[in-house]
Amino acid sequence: SGDHNHLSLAIQKTIQTEFDLPDAMTEHLLSLPEVSELVSKHPKIFSTFVRAQYNQTQKWLENHNIDHVTIYRGMRMEKNSDFQPGIGRVLDMKLQPISSFTAVFREASGFADIESETKMPIILSVRVPRNKVFSTCRTGVGCLTEKEVTILGGEYKAFVVR
């Protein structure tokens, strides 16, 4: 939904503007005029919606004395790419204005573990300061059963953990 759904993309675009994220990956947002039109028709609704989630999340994290979170992302990479994973390797990641991770390694593993002839599984770990956490599955968008955490986009260092 973060790549094709117009409403999801409008939220991505709003987050990029609201949180001033010039380094976020947004090439896919620029190609859909419907997204810009949707945001321009309802800017106050979108900005209020994203700001309320962020503020609620920050308050919850602060009340629980959480300064950083370690989160995981499972994915499958093309086997024929130049990328050669290795546990402990540090990667530069450029993320969308809001990107999904999980707080539980096992959940990330579920997203990565479907190996095929053309894809290889990989799990990345990122340590993120509280102010970069947009929402958790308890404070805003995010799947509760996946222990989802969404973070503000931009450039991050990620560690290959599997």
Side-chain angles (χ1 to χ4, degrees):
S1 66
D3 293 328
H4 307 292
N5 180 282
H6 290 165
L7 186 56
S8 294
L9 293 170
I11 291 169
Q12 291 272 7
K13 188 172 181 66
T14 302
I15 289 170
Q16 181 189 23
T17 303
E18 185 73 20
F19 295 95
D20 189 26
L21 303 171
D23 296 330
M25 184 178 66
T26 58
E27 292 77 20
H28 62 296
L29 299 178
L30 304 174
S31 63
L32 295 169
E34 301 91 346
V35 173
S36 294
E37 184 180 331
L38 185 58
V39 173
S40 67
K41 282 184 179 178
H42 310 286
K44 182 84 169 145
I45 291 170
F46 281 107
S47 66
T48 300
F49 175 71
V50 301
R51 200 39 94 166
Q53 285 184 79
Y54 179 81
N55 291 343
Q56 176 67 25
T57 300
Q58 293 302 305
K59 182 178 177 182
W60 189 91
L61 293 170
E62 184 177 356
N63 288 345
H64 289 83
N65 297 313
I66 299 172
D67 293 325
H68 289 82
V69 295
T70 299
I71 52 180
Y72 305 93
R73 186 172 183 125
M75 61 181 96
R76 294 174 300 280
M77 304 288 291
E78 294 292 331
K79 284 185 177 178
N80 62 358
S81 71
D82 292 336
F83 176 73
Q84 294 299 316
I87 293 176
R89 184 173 175 191
V90 178
L91 304 176
D92 292 320
M93 287 180 71
K94 187 172 184 177
L95 301 175
Q96 297 182 78
I98 181 176
S99 291
S100 299
F101 287 77
T102 178
V104 179
F105 179 85
R106 183 179 64 249
E107 288 296 327
S109 190
F111 284 95
D113 280 348
I114 306 168
E115 189 166 359
S116 69
E117 290 182 24
T118 60
K119 305 261 185 181
M120 64 181 154
I122 182 173
I123 299 176
L124 303 174
S125 173
V126 180
R127 183 170 158 86
V128 181
R130 174 176 60 212
N131 70 329
K132 294 291 188 178
V133 178
F134 176 75
S135 70
T136 73
C137 55
R138 297 199 177 274
T139 63
V141 295
C143 179
L144 186 60
T145 60
E146 294 173 1
K147 309 297 187 273
E148 192 170 3
V149 175
T150 62
I151 63 173
L152 296 175
E155 295 180 359
Y156 290 87
K157 298 282 186 200
F159 296 90
V160 177
V161 294
R162 198 187 88 200

